[in-house]
Amino acid sequence: MMGRTIFIDPGRCIGCQACVSACRECDSHRGTSMIHLDYTDEGHSVASLPTVCMHCEDPVAPCAEVCPADAILVTADGVVQQADTTRCIGCANCVNACPFGVPKIDLGAKLQLKCNLCYDRTAYGLAPMCATVCPTGALFYGTVEELQAERPGVQVADTFVFGETEVRTGVAMVVPAEKVQWPVPGGLPVVEINGKDVRR
């Protein structure tokens, strides 16, 4: 069972951008937001989804695996760091390798930008900035047990399928228990719910 992490609850996101504003205040990248708020059908729907790094565990960080400059490091506790600004060459290999579309390239600075789970905070037991300000709880920081105590009837998905490839992540997506056969938002089928295989 995963420890303390971010749980994304898409059904609660109202697109208010509080997470984006709070991310700009993080001491490690003050002034630049590393979280992306995506509008799933912009112009036709108000549906939105905060996109944070999923901190891939298996396979371990595809973005780091393809970095030719070894600019993306993974901590011992599984947090995939943003690119080291002294090493990143802005090649965008990480952008192409990420199955979740998380890293972005700042073309002016020629640097990769992505969420690092506010490691300067979470390493000391504090919640990431985005989760501390989310007014609806679309971004929840804690354990699975804490989440389920607060929201009875939800399950979490931390395994996703891309074609023939399964990716297990350190960040999870909240899925209503009665809808576990639904695809996870973004069209990704749910493979595993709390360790149970739910494929047909």
Side-chain angles (χ1 to χ4, degrees), residues 10 13-16 37-49:
C13 183
I14 58 173
C16 70
L37 192 64
D38 295 315
Y39 296 91
T40 55
D41 192 12
E42 198 165 4
H44 297 66
S45 168
V46 295
S48 54
L49 177 69

Side-chain angles (χ1 to χ4, degrees), residues 67-73 83-91 110-111:
C67 180
D70 288 328
I72 304 169
L73 302 178
D84 180 340
T85 57
T86 66
R87 298 187 67 94
C88 180
I89 59 175
C91 68
K110 295 187 177 160
L111 291 174

Side-chain angles (χ1 to χ4, degrees), residues 9 12 136-140 146-154 174:
D9 193 338
R12 288 175 171 245
T136 61
L139 294 168
F140 179 93
E146 290 168 343
L147 176 75
Q148 291 176 331
E150 183 180 299
R151 303 173 193 181
V154 301
V174 173

Side-chain angles (χ1 to χ4, degrees), residues 103-123:
K104 306 292 183 206
I105 295 293
D106 179 331
L107 296 176
K110 295 187 177 160
L111 291 174
Q112 175 251 54
L113 304 174
K114 79 163 197 64
C115 154
N116 68 354
L117 201 63
C118 279
Y119 198 65
D120 58 327
R121 294 174 56 85
T122 54

Side-chain angles (χ1 to χ4, degrees), residues 19-34 81-82 85 114 116-122 124 126-130 132:
C19 57
V20 175
S21 295
C23 189
R24 287 191 195 102
E25 299 301 316
C26 193
D27 284 337
S28 62
H29 51 83
R30 188 170 286 279
T32 303
S33 182
M34 300 292 182
Q81 296 289 313
Q82 68 196 54
T85 57
K114 79 163 197 64
N116 68 354
L117 201 63
C118 279
Y119 198 65
D120 58 327
R121 294 174 56 85
T122 54
Y124 294 98
L126 299 171
M129 295 292 283
C130 58
T132 64

